[in-house]
Amino acid sequence: MQITENLLIALRSLAVNKLRSILTMLGIIIGVGAVIALISVGQGFESYINQQFASLGTNLLFVVPGQLNNSGPGSARSSRGAQPLTMDDAEALRDVFRVPDVAAIAPAYSRSGLAVAGKKDTYTTVDGVTPEYGSVRNFKVDEGEFISNSDVSGRSRVALIGSRVAKNLFPDEPYIAIVGQTIKINDIPFRIKGVLTEKGGGGGFGGDEDNVILIPISTAQSRLFSAPVVRGSYVVSVIYAQVVSEDAMDVAADEIAEVLRERHRINFKDDDDFTVINQADLIAVFGDITAIFTIVLGSIAGISLVVGGIGIMNIMLVSVTERTREIGLRKAIGAKRSDILSQFLIEAIVISIIGGAIGILLGVLGSVLIGNLADMTTVVTPGAVLLATGFSLAVGIFFGIYPATRAARLSPIDALRYE
Amino acid sequence: MTEISVIEIENITKVYRIGDIEVHALRGVSMQVRERELIAIMGPSGSGKSTLMNIIGCLDKPTDGQYLLGGQDVGEMDDNELATIRNQKIGFVFQNFNLLARTSALANVELPMVYSRVPRKERHRRAIAALESVGLGDRIHHKSNELSGGQQQRVAIARALVNEPSIILADEPTGNLDSKSGAEIMAIFQRLNDENGITIVFVTHEPEIARHTRRIIRLADGKIISDEPVRQPKLAGKRAYSVRARDLTE
Ligand SMILES: Nc1ncnc2c1ncn2[C@@H]1O[C@H](COP(=O)(O)OP(=O)(O)OP(=O)(O)O)[C@@H](O)[C@H]1O
Ligand SMILES: [Mg+2]
């Protein structure tokens, strides 16, 4: 029979049984909506994590003093015999012959401090850094300039402030007007040399990266915080090493360890008194976590699709059974088996498509809503939409066609007599 | 009256099996129906009248025996051919009307033409004409549940004749109706038989109704026990036309 004719029959019988049609659709709506919303949350979480790592810098190794042990987060480092890392250590790691797989080294000396500008003040992290820090840690300057080599050698009192600091200290001023002003950090005046580009995603790893002040490392060590001197060199908090490529991460970590063990005169049989943390390892761990998260959300969504599918099945079975007499009548006045089948097929498709469309709409709305409430970007992927609609379509067709086939095979009189 | 047989059944049996029990609904029925005949089938309850009608109407198949419809062996036909016969050659009217619920009289009457792929405009025109010919020209948009029993049966008759079949079969068409509505149905049957030359076979329990025909076949216990002409057929025609005129002016 012509498709349009069947479409009309299907639409008419859907309109005649509005409540039943809506109930059937409900299963699809909930299933499709849940899959789309939940998968979008999972994907959003994943891209949030990835973005956090990207803002940290790429191909990074973190070298910190002491040995990270596995006895729990409370006792992160055993202090026994641990030597601090120094500027000379960092300098030694710049040796391209001994550490060929490291592209850049950026030591940092970090403390917290009170920054004051006029009547406003704010507590922030104050990082003493070198010029390499910008590219290694992925800090960009929105207005002004980054710390230069001469700033470091001259122990200049210059500072770059993060966007949060700028907002706290100079709420309404444009960045261009902030540059050149003076702030006091722990009572010592600094000239603002630039404002950092906002990194966003506040409260990720390593704290809020917009609530920072960067100053020359030499200034931090000697003028602001009076850092300890070990073996004739200022102590640093951490040494960042940017590795030439992702594949070289492990090799580079070994190269660094070898140089530092020699400098710290560690015996062959003793453990390191420092730790090289591999960013790739962290990413892998978090990758596992996000994968599990997505799987859990996906299964919840899958369960709701299955429940929705059972709902569809139930109502389709009831509907076809209840309409056995109608099928009998249609056959009695000349409908062929194929007419009956295509009528139910089209009905099932119409229900699935309308229900699926509403489900997609609600799923997208839900994902936007969750995104707003949880302050994260949720991603609705075409794959999730396809999966959800495909599944509900298949369920609708299968559970519509199966009983319809049975009914269409009945002799008209058996179908008509059906109670 | 011509002597051509449109329906020829030969030693038809029908056995229903319920578990181990066999019910012999028809035990060898043979009969012939000629073109333009108007026949009533009578008999006690359970005698096999409905079973016979369903077989003649190609709604059901006999257990044994031969059935020739217009010279063609129905036993040889496949499902699709039977569907075409039900659609084109035979109009069936049921005791309980069997209209689509919550659907307009017009859509109900159009249904057989949907399955014979009649274009929409023509379908519309023919359905309205059929409804007018059973005196329901003013009820075409009423839903089936908004019509009286007699009106519903007239919609069912309009549906049965809309594809211009040569045969109309009716299983107790007046069984659920009062005598006035029953007479209206008989008037329509007589007119269709007389003016349009449609062969009509129907089942009834009421002798009064049966007297509107020219031939009465009696069944008992799955067999034909008598087959005789009606000496003075009762004419419902005059009254029916007046009814129709009244319906239209209402
Ligand atoms: N589907 C069926 N399964 C089993 N037995 C059936 C079936 N249909 C009819 N019968 C049996 O066949 C016999 C004839 O039934 P049928 O319906 O033809 O009688 P009928 O003459 O139409 O009776 P009534 O006047 O009450 O309508 C009955 O004994 C009935 O019980
Ligand atoms: Mg009966």
Side-chain angles (χ1 to χ4, degrees):
Chain A
M1 194 182 335
Q2 309 98 307
I3 296 286
T4 48
E5 212 45 71
N6 254 328
L7 203 62
L8 282 178
I9 293 182
L11 288 177
R12 191 173 298 149
S13 84
L14 290 182
V16 163
N17 300 292
K18 284 190 198 66
L19 183 63
R20 190 178 61 200
S21 314
I22 290 168
L23 285 176
T24 313
M25 276 178 207
L26 209 58
I28 299 177
I29 293 172
I30 292 171
V32 170
V35 163
I36 286 174
L38 290 182
I39 289 185
S40 84
V41 169
Q43 304 254 343
F45 184 62
E46 203 171 316
S47 68
Y48 169 78
I49 298 282
N50 288 339
Q51 181 192 326
Q52 286 295 317
F53 276 111
S55 79
L56 222 54
T58 44
N59 299 343
L60 269 193
L61 294 174
F62 312 70
V63 189
V64 292
Q67 181 68 51
L68 288 180
N69 59 29
N70 294 327
S71 55
S75 54
R77 288 167 208 175
S78 66
S79 52
R80 179 181 51 84
Q83 298 187 51
L85 295 167
T86 64
M87 289 301 279
D88 285 349
D89 287 335
E91 198 52 46
L93 293 178
R94 288 206 173 94
D95 183 340
V96 287
F97 297 105
R98 298 209 56 192
V99 193
D101 288 298
V102 168
I105 289 288
Y109 186 74
S110 300
R111 288 286 178 273
S112 60
L114 178 68
V116 182
K119 289 201 175 77
K120 295 200 166 3
D121 58 29
T122 184
Y123 272 101
T124 79
T125 309
V126 180
D127 290 325
V129 302
T130 58
E132 294 88 353
Y133 192 80
S135 65
V136 171
R137 287 296 321 281
N138 210 10
F139 275 100
K140 292 190 181 64
V141 180
D142 217 52
E143 195 65 57
E145 275 167 19
F146 205 77
I147 288 158
S148 66
N149 276 320
S150 61
D151 289 333
V152 175
S153 57
R155 301 178 182 187
S156 312
R157 282 182 282 110
V158 294
L160 284 103
I161 62 175
S163 59
R164 175 77 35 99
V165 177
K167 202 173 288 164
N168 288 344
L169 294 182
F170 308 98
D172 296 318
E173 290 183 52
Y175 287 177
I176 198 157
I178 297 172
V179 175
Q181 295 203 40
T182 303
I183 55 169
K184 283 187 170 175
I185 306 172
N186 292 356
D187 282 337
I188 298 175
F190 280 77
R191 184 175 60 82
I192 297 178
K193 199 183 180 191
V195 182
L196 296 167
T197 305
E198 185 169 339
K199 280 200 167 195
F205 318 109
D208 184 349
E209 298 208 291
D210 292 320
N211 190 20
V212 291
I213 293 179
L214 305 184
I215 60 174
I217 190 165
S218 51
T219 317
Q221 289 161 331
S222 62
R223 300 179 88 151
L224 193 55
F225 297 120
S226 55
V229 176
V230 174
R231 282 173 275 120
S233 173
Y234 277 118
V235 161
V236 302
S237 316
V238 54
I239 300 172
Y240 296 100
Q242 187 161 43
V243 180
V244 288
S245 75
E246 211 179 316
D247 303 332
M249 297 290 274
D250 289 337
V251 183
D254 289 345
E255 292 164 359
I256 290 170
E258 197 176 318
V259 170
L260 291 181
R261 282 178 73 89
E262 190 182 303
R263 288 184 52 81
H264 292 192
R265 301 184 209 294
I266 297 168
N267 283 334
F268 170 72
K269 60 181 192 318
D270 287 342
D271 288 338
D272 296 347
D273 64 353
F274 56 88
T275 304
V276 182
I277 302 168
N278 190 334
Q279 188 194 21
D281 293 344
L282 285 179
I283 290 177
V285 168
F286 276 95
D288 287 350
I289 292 173
T290 52
I292 290 169
F293 187 68
T294 306
I295 287 171
V296 168
L297 285 186
S299 339
I300 294 172
I303 289 170
S304 68
L305 249 192
V306 168
V307 171
I310 292 171
I312 298 168
M313 165 176 103
N314 196 10
I315 290 168
M316 283 286 191
L317 276 170
V318 169
S319 144
V320 173
T321 311
E322 174 189 302
R323 288 160 73 185
T324 303
R325 288 173 63 93
E326 178 197 322
I327 293 170
L329 168 73
R330 287 177 185 276
K331 290 196 79 172
I333 59 172
K336 300 191 166 76
R337 207 180 274 189
S338 56
D339 292 329
I340 302 292
L341 278 184
S342 57
Q343 177 192 337
F344 278 88
L345 183 68
I346 288 180
E347 244 184 79
I349 290 174
V350 166
I351 287 187
S352 306
I353 285 179
I354 296 177
I358 298 175
I360 290 172
L361 209 73
L362 289 183
V364 171
L365 274 178
S367 119
V368 169
L369 204 71
I370 294 171
N372 280 342
L373 288 179
D375 195 21
M376 63 192 279
T377 358
T378 47
V379 193
V380 175
T381 58
V385 173
L386 261 154
L387 175 87
T389 26
F391 183 84
S392 54
L393 201 66
V395 165
I397 289 171
F398 180 76
F399 292 114
I401 277 301
Y402 163 70
T405 314
R406 271 191 348 196
R409 279 212 192 105
L410 289 175
S411 84
I413 204 65
D414 287 339
L416 270 176
R417 236 190 244 124
Y418 187 87
E419 296 289 322
Chain B
M1 198 178 288
T2 62
E3 289 301 312
I4 302 166
S5 294
V6 283
I7 295 167
E8 240 185 300
I9 59 177
E10 189 64 40
N11 213 14
I12 289 273
T13 63
K14 179 75 182 179
V15 182
Y16 292 109
R17 233 175 234 105
I18 307 167
D20 289 341
I21 305 163
E22 286 189 352
V23 179
H24 292 264
L26 295 175
R27 304 166 184 268
V29 171
S30 302
M31 64 183 268
Q32 274 152 29
V33 178
R34 291 177 299 274
E35 229 169 55
R36 290 176 156 265
E37 271 199 293
L38 177 58
I39 302 176
I41 295 179
M42 299 191 70
S45 189
S47 54
K49 304 182 296 294
S50 295
T51 308
L52 180 61
M53 290 298 278
N54 293 338
I55 289 171
I56 297 174
C58 297
L59 298 173
D60 206 355
K61 287 181 173 164
T63 309
D64 206 359
Q66 197 182 43
Y67 172 19
L68 298 182
L69 178 71
Q72 282 181 294
D73 190 346
V74 172
E76 308 271 286
M77 295 183 185
D78 66 20
D79 260 19
N80 282 349
E81 287 170 312
L82 290 174
T84 308
I85 297 263
R86 292 194 293 265
N87 188 247
Q88 304 284 324
K89 295 223 168 122
I90 299 173
F92 209 102
V93 178
F94 303 89
Q95 178 175 359
N96 55 358
F97 325 132
N98 273 330
L99 299 180
L100 286 187
R102 285 159 287 174
T103 306
S104 72
L106 188 65
N108 267 292
V109 176
E110 280 186 11
L111 206 54
M113 293 185 285
V114 168
Y115 293 117
S116 50
R117 283 100 174 118
V118 175
R120 185 162 325 174
K121 274 215 184 93
E122 160 137 20
R123 221 157 68 196
H124 224 68
R125 189 181 58 70
R126 273 164 61 182
I128 291 173
L131 280 166
E132 279 171 349
S133 82
V134 296
L136 285 177
D138 55 344
R139 294 284 192 277
I140 55 176
H141 294 301
H142 283 235
K143 302 273 168 66
S144 41
N145 50 313
E146 296 162 0
L147 295 169
S148 74
Q151 289 168 334
Q152 288 188 50
Q153 194 60 300
R154 281 188 278 156
V155 172
I157 292 171
R159 183 179 64 190
L161 59 86
V162 78
N163 261 345
E164 292 165 358
S166 51
I167 304 166
I168 286 183
L169 302 173
D171 190 357
E172 299 193 44
T174 61
N176 287 4
L177 305 178
D178 62 17
S179 59
K180 182 173 147 274
S181 303
E184 283 169 20
I185 301 297
M186 282 307 112
I188 292 167
F189 277 180
Q190 286 185 338
R191 182 165 50 81
L192 290 172
N193 177 248
D194 208 46
E195 292 175 11
N196 305 33
I198 299 175
T199 308
I200 299 179
V201 181
F202 67 86
V203 171
T204 183
H205 277 289
E206 300 157 75
E208 268 308 291
I209 293 289
R211 275 188 49 217
H212 288 86
T213 65
R214 286 185 284 265
R215 180 181 169 194
I216 297 176
I217 294 172
R218 284 174 210 279
L219 281 184
D221 200 18
K223 281 185 186 146
I224 294 180
I225 53 163
S226 79
D227 182 350
E228 42 201 33
V230 178
R231 250 168 265 143
Q232 279 180 314
K234 188 175 164 184
L235 209 68
K238 217 171 142 198
R239 197 177 155 207
Y241 283 113
S242 66
V243 164
R244 189 178 161 211
R246 195 197 60 205
D247 262 3
L248 288 173
T249 51
E250 242 171 26

